[in-house]
């Protein structure tokens, strides 16, 4: 999502340390600001002022969405000052490879678990990812919510809306040995998830939510889906 990727903090910090040695503060401002503009995102620093080069670079990179970070490094390694440093290029390639691999693996894992359920559920999940990747956040959030709702309908064997599943879900979790404290936690998480979705995404564009908040909602929906699937598999095991 800009994808659900995991960037190595240690490797990223090492790469940044090397980049600040190659560029002036104004170079770093130009590189990061021009890139952010090109992908329609915002960064904090637009002038050097009293900030160190490392502070400017680290902050402006951190402001980018995960997908934009990968695109930024894919482009910056083509600049001559960087491309001539083969050690740095290898580190950047490693960062990109590890991040994109974790994204692909995470998506494959969830896609595979969808095979156990209805074709419609898998299609809705796929639609959520496509919408997110295209910055269509309204439809992305709608689709991930619908995927969770369809999953619960199937495992709980009813046709209730997401908002009306709490009692059935509580009994379902209890039968699978989930502790009362954790059941209460999960129901509370689900309630807050529904409220945020209803308040900010269900009837309009989620303009009041930042990119990080939207990514969190997408990831939270995915975590809930994976947890329910794990419970379903646990139930099948216990019944045998």
């Amino acid at each position: 999502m800009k994808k659900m990727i995991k960037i190595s903090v240690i490797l990223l910090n090492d790469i940044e340390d090397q980049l600040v040695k190659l560029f002036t503060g104004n170079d770093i401002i130009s590189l990061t600001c021009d890139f952010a503009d090109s992908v329609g995102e915002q960064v904090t620093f637009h002038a050097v002022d009293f900030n160190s080069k490392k502070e400017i670079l680290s902050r402006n990179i951190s402001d980018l969405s995960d997908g934009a970070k990968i695109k930024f490094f894919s482009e910056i390694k083509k600049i001559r000052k960087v491309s001539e440093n083969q050690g740095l290029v290898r580190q950047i390639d490693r960062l990109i490879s590890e991040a994109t691999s974790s994204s692909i693996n995470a998506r494959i894992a969830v896609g595979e678990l969808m095979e156990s359920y209805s074709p419609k559920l898998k299609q809705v999940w796929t639609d959520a990812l496509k919408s997110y990747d295209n910055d269509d956040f309204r439809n992305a959030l709608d689709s991930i919510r619908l995927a969770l709702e369809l999953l619960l309908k199937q495992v709980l064997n009813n046709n209730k809306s997401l908002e009306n599943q709490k009692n059935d879900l509580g009994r379902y979790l209890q039968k699978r040995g989930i502790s009362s404290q954790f059941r209460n936690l999960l129901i509370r998480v689900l309630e807050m998830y529904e409220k945020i979705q209803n308040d900010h995404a269900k009837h309009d564009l989620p303009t009041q939510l930042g990119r990080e908040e939207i990514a969190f909602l997408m990831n939270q929906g995915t975590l809930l889906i994976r947890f329910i699937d794990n419970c379903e598999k646990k139930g099948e095991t216990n019944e045998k």
Side-chain angles (χ1 to χ4, degrees), residues 83-228:
S83 65
E84 290 177 344
N85 186 332
Q86 290 303 304
L88 177 56
V89 170
R90 284 194 294 271
Q91 284 187 302
I92 293 174
D93 286 341
R94 177 185 164 196
L95 181 79
I96 295 170
S97 176
E98 290 181 357
T100 53
S101 293
S102 66
S103 168
I104 293 169
N105 290 338
R107 290 182 174 212
I108 289 174
V110 178
E112 287 178 347
L113 75 82
M114 294 292 181
E115 299 288 351
S116 303
Y117 303 97
S118 67
K120 183 178 181 181
L121 175 56
K122 185 171 183 179
Q123 183 59 55
V124 170
W125 161 258
T126 301
D127 291 344
L129 296 182
K130 288 180 179 178
S131 295
Y132 187 89
D133 288 347
N134 290 319
D135 290 347
D136 182 0
F137 298 135
R138 164 71 189 282
N139 284 323
L141 292 175
D142 280 349
S143 293
I144 199 72
R145 172 194 170 97
L146 178 57
L148 178 59
E149 182 173 271
L150 290 173
L151 177 63
L152 287 175
K153 285 181 178 181
Q154 186 164 342
V155 301
L156 299 177
N157 194 29
N158 63 39
N159 197 38
K160 297 179 181 180
S161 65
L162 188 61
E163 292 84 352
N164 295 313
Q165 291 285 23
K166 295 178 186 63
N167 290 335
D168 287 358
L169 179 58
R171 288 190 289 269
Y172 170 87
L173 295 173
Q174 184 176 13
K175 289 180 179 179
R176 279 152 180 78
I178 305 302
S179 68
S180 60
Q181 293 91 341
F182 198 86
R183 294 200 303 273
N184 291 336
L185 172 63
L186 184 66
I187 296 299
R188 180 60 176 161
V189 169
L190 188 59
E191 288 175 344
M192 291 305 300
Y193 181 77
E194 292 168 5
K195 177 173 175 52
I196 295 172
Q197 284 267 35
N198 288 339
D199 290 349
H200 295 285
K202 190 173 183 180
H203 303 295
D204 202 355
L205 293 174
T207 54
Q208 295 181 338
L209 297 177
R211 185 179 292 272
E212 296 82 3
E213 294 167 300
I214 292 169
F216 177 85
L217 286 174
M218 294 293 291
N219 291 334
Q220 190 66 59
T222 303
L223 286 173
L224 289 167
I225 288 170
R226 297 186 74 164
F227 178 77
I228 297 301

